[in-house]
Amino acid sequence: MSPLGTAYRPAGKLGLGPAFLMLWIVALALFPGQWSMPVTDRDEARYSQAATQMMETGDYVDIRFQEKPRYVKPAGIYWMQVASTQAFGGPDAPIGAYRIPSYLGILIISLGTALIGARIMGGTYGAIAGGIFGLTLLAGAEGRIAKTDAMLVAAGTMAQLGLFNILVQPKGSPARQFRTWPLLFWFASGLAVLIKGPIFAIFSLATILVYVGVSRDWRALRRLRPLPGLAVFAVVGLTWVGLITYQSDGEFLRESVGHALLGKVAEGDDAHGGPPGYHLIATLVMFWPGTIFLGLAGAAAIRRRKDPAVLFLLAWLIPGWLVYEAVATKLPHYVMPAYPALAVLCALGIKDAIEGAKTGLAHGVGLVLFALGSVALPVAAYFAIADIDGQFATPWILAMVGAIVLTLIIGIARLRKPSFDGLALTAVPVVAFYAFFAEGALPRLSVMWPSHSVWQVAAQIEGCDELRFATAGYREPSNVFYLGTDTILGDGADAAQLLLDNPSCGVAIVDRREREAFDAALGAAAIRELSIVEGTNVVKGRSLTLAVIVRAESDLMLGTAQPRRL
C-alpha cells in the first residue's frame, strides 16, 4: 500500500500507435508559420542574432548582441540554434531554422506529458493528455518563437517524468540504482539550468517537498540518489556557468541572477507587471482549447485526491503556480512549466467522464470558461490588429475567426459528454485555426514587420558588395538580424554620420520623427531616397514611416535581387 492508503500500479505504457497519432497532430498544428512568419521583436531577434554572432566569431562561450554582452540567460538555447541552422546556411539561415529547437521542444513536452499520462491512465489517455498540451495556444505561440521557453519546459517535463517514476512508488520501495529514472531526472534538470537557469527547478523542488511532505514517504529522497545525481547535474548545468563567470569576471552572475532573476521577483521587469490571479485569468486564453476540460480536471483532482499519482500532479501544478502569481513580473508563458500537469489532469477527467463518473457542475464551469476564451480570442485579435493599423477584414483573418467559432460550436455540442470521436472532431478546426492564423494571416500583415519590409528593399540594392546600414528612430533588434551585425541602431545624427563616412556603400533607414535631425546633421551633402516603408513598431505601438536613403553621388540603386533569408 502507498503511504496515502491507495495502491499505485502503473496503468500501462504509451504505445507506438497513440504516440505517433498524437505527435503527428501536434506537429501538423505547429508547422504553419514556422518559415513564413518574419522574425519577431524583441526576444526572438536577440536570441537568433546572438546565435548568429557565435557562428560569425567562433566563440561559443561568450554571448553577445552586437558588442554588448547578453548574460540574462545561459548558452544552451544558443548552442541548439547554432546546431539547427547548420543545414540551412549557418549564420545566413532563415529564421525558421532558428525556430527548430522550439518546434521540437513542444513535441518533446507533448511526448513527456503523454508518457506520464500513460503511466497513470494507459496509452490512449496519455496520448490525449499530450495532445491537449500540444494544441494549446501557449504551446502554439512558444513553438513558433526562437527563444528558451519551449526547450526549457521540454527538459523540465522529462525531468518530471523521471521524478514521477522515482516518487510515486509504494511505501518502503528500495533506493533505485543510478540509472534510468534517477539519471533522467538529474540530467534533464541540469539541461534545464543550461537553457534558462534555475526556473524549472522551482517546480521540481516544490513537487519533491510537497509530495514527500504529504505522503511522509521519506525514503523517496534516497531513491533520488542525490550524491551521484548532483554530480551529473553540476556537470551538465554548471560547467558553462563556471567558464563564463571566469571569462566575464563575474559579470554573468551579476546580470543573470541580480537582474534577470531577482529583479523580476521584486518588481515588474520591463513593464511586465500584473496583480495576483493574472496567470489564472490568462489561462482562459493561453490553455485554449484545453479550457473545455478544466472543470473535468478539477473534479478528477478532488475525486482522486488520495491517489499518489494525482498528489504528484497537484504538487507539480499548485505550488509553482502560486510562486509565479506572487512574483511581480508576469508574462503568460511563466506558468507553462505547470501546463503538462494540468493537461494530464484534464485527460484524467475525460477518462472519468467517459467511464461514467458524475461531473456535476464542474464540467459546466469548464464549458463556460471555454466559451469565454473562444470569444476572447477573435476580440483580442481585432483590437490588436486595429491597434497597429492593420487590415482586419482579410480572408485569412475571417477564416481564422470561423475556425474559432467552429471549435466553439463543435466543442460544446460534442463534448458536453466527452467521447473519443468528439475529441477528434474538435481537434480538426483547432489545427485549421493555426494554419489560417500563423501561415495565412500573420505573415501577410506586413504592417507588423517593418524590419522585414526594409530588408526586402535592402536586398534589392545594387552597386556595392559591402553595404553598411544605420537606422534612425527604429532601434528594434530585428533590424540587426536582417541587415547584419554591424547595423547601427541610433538616431538621426548617427544615420547621417554613416552616410558621411560611407558615401559609396552607406544606407540610412530614417523614421520621419528623426528626419529633421538627420537632415541637419548631413549639412550640404546631397541624398537620394530609394524607397519608403510604412509600418508599425509593435513593441512600442507606434507607427513608422521609414525612408531608405543613400548619398546622391553613390552608384546604389534598386535592382531585382531576391531576398536571401526570411
Side-chain angles (χ1 to χ4, degrees):
M1 297 293 288
S2 83
L4 296 175
T6 304
Y8 169 73
R9 296 182 179 85
K13 296 181 178 181
L14 182 64
L16 289 178
F20 178 82
L21 180 59
M22 180 271 296
L23 290 173
W24 175 249
I25 292 172
V26 174
L28 190 64
L30 281 176
F31 187 78
Q34 293 286 341
W35 299 85
S36 60
M37 190 171 66
V39 66
T40 58
D41 282 308
R42 292 175 173 148
D43 283 348
E44 179 176 59
R46 287 170 174 162
Y47 280 109
S48 303
Q49 176 59 28
T52 296
Q53 290 180 215
M54 280 187 171
M55 290 181 275
E56 291 174 343
T57 64
D59 187 345
Y60 295 97
V61 175
D62 201 9
I63 305 169
R64 291 185 176 270
F65 180 85
Q66 294 188 304
E67 294 301 318
K68 294 181 180 180
R70 180 164 168 76
Y71 291 155
V72 292
K73 300 294 185 297
I77 196 63
Y78 303 100
W79 294 346
M80 294 179 186
Q81 290 178 352
V82 166
S84 69
T85 58
Q86 294 309 298
F88 301 93
D92 295 320
I95 187 61
Y98 292 84
R99 291 170 175 158
I100 290 173
S102 294
Y103 181 83
L104 295 177
I106 297 300
L107 294 178
I108 293 170
I109 300 167
S110 297
L111 179 60
T113 302
L115 288 169
I116 294 172
R119 299 285 287 181
I120 299 172
M121 302 169 284
T124 299
Y125 289 102
I128 289 173
I132 289 173
F133 171 84
L135 293 180
T136 62
L137 195 64
L138 185 56
E142 293 299 328
R144 291 177 170 86
I145 303 177
K147 59 189 188 75
T148 56
D149 295 282
M151 264 300 176
L152 165 73
V153 180
T157 302
M158 299 313 291
Q160 293 295 94
L161 172 64
L163 190 59
F164 176 84
N165 285 281
I166 295 168
L167 295 184
V168 185
Q169 298 291 330
K171 188 174 182 178
S173 296
R176 291 177 175 270
Q177 296 296 313
F178 192 69
R179 57 177 183 265
T180 60
W181 304 124
L183 180 59
L184 175 63
F185 169 70
W186 290 107
F187 179 87
S189 296
L191 185 59
V193 169
L194 182 61
I195 294 170
K196 200 176 179 179
I199 301 301
F200 205 99
I202 295 172
F203 290 88
S204 293
L205 183 60
T207 303
I208 294 169
L209 294 177
V210 172
Y211 184 88
V212 172
V214 173
S215 67
R216 298 187 300 279
D217 182 13
W218 308 111
R219 290 176 62 102
L221 298 176
R222 291 184 58 195
R223 297 198 296 272
L224 286 169
R225 300 302 302 273
L227 291 180
L230 287 171
V232 170
F233 174 83
V235 169
V236 176
L238 303 180
T239 300
W240 175 85
V241 173
L243 291 173
I244 192 61
T245 300
Y246 174 79
Q247 184 168 322
S248 67
D249 197 23
E251 182 61 27
F252 169 76
L253 290 179
R254 286 191 291 271
E255 177 67 18
S256 63
V257 178
H259 172 260
L261 181 60
L262 298 180
K264 293 181 179 182
V265 174
E267 59 184 29
D269 184 62
D270 297 329
H272 297 310
Y278 168 93
H279 292 296
L280 191 62
I281 295 172
T283 296
L284 298 183
V285 174
M286 292 294 102
F287 199 71
W288 183 91
T291 43
I292 197 170
F293 305 119
L294 289 181
L296 295 178
I302 294 173
R303 185 183 304 113
R304 296 172 176 262
R305 59 188 179 276
K306 292 186 178 181
D307 187 321
V310 172
L311 172 61
F312 178 90
L313 296 174
L314 295 177
W316 177 358
L317 172 65
I318 296 174
W321 191 295
L322 293 177
V323 167
Y324 278 98
E325 290 287 12
V327 168
T329 302
K330 290 182 172 65
L331 286 170
H333 66 266
Y334 281 7
V335 296
M336 190 167 75
Y339 274 22
L342 188 57
V344 175
L345 284 172
C346 287
L348 191 59
I350 293 171
K351 179 177 184 294
D352 286 350
I354 289 177
E355 293 178 353
K358 293 182 179 180
T359 59
L361 181 62
H363 192 33
V365 171
L367 292 175
V368 171
L369 296 177
F370 171 66
L372 289 174
S374 299
V375 171
L377 269 175
V379 172
Y382 173 81
F383 284 106
I385 293 169
D387 188 55
I388 61 172
D389 300 323
Q391 296 291 323
F392 180 75
T394 65
W396 290 106
I397 292 291
L398 294 177
M400 177 199 80
V401 173
I404 294 172
V405 172
L406 193 60
T407 304
L408 175 62
I409 293 172
I410 295 176
I412 292 180
R414 300 301 301 270
L415 298 178
R416 287 179 297 175
K417 184 176 181 180
S419 62
F420 291 116
D421 66 324
L423 291 167
L425 193 58
T426 307
V428 173
V430 175
V431 174
F433 159 74
Y434 285 118
F436 296 145
F437 183 58
E439 187 68 34
L442 276 183
R444 289 167 174 80
L445 287 170
S446 59
V447 69
M448 289 182 60
W449 320 108
S451 58
H452 180 256
S453 298
V454 166
W455 167 72
Q456 287 183 312
V457 173
Q460 299 178 49
I461 298 177
E462 299 176 349
C464 180
D465 294 332
E466 296 291 337
L467 295 173
R468 293 291 308 280
F469 295 93
T471 67
Y474 181 42
R475 302 178 180 89
E476 298 305 329
S478 56
N479 288 301
V480 182
F481 178 82
Y482 280 122
L483 301 177
T485 301
D486 293 332
T487 300
I488 297 171
L489 304 179
D491 56 19
D494 296 322
Q497 191 63 49
L498 176 83
L499 291 190
L500 293 173
D501 294 341
N502 299 272
S504 298
C505 295
V507 181
I509 297 101
V510 185
D511 183 36
R512 65 179 183 275
R513 294 177 180 86
E514 292 287 335
R515 189 58 185 264
E516 183 176 349
F518 172 78
D519 290 338
L522 273 176
I527 57 174
R528 289 183 288 123
E529 289 186 1
L530 296 183
S531 183
I532 297 291
V533 172
E534 301 280 353
T536 297
N537 185 336
V538 176
V539 175
K540 294 186 176 181
R542 190 172 71 184
S543 62
L544 299 167
T545 300
L546 302 169
V548 181
I549 302 172
V550 299
R551 290 286 294 271
E553 66 269 27
S554 74
D555 296 328
L556 301 181
M557 63 182 67
L558 292 182
T560 58
Q562 295 299 310
R564 294 182 299 277
R565 77 192 299 180
L566 184 65

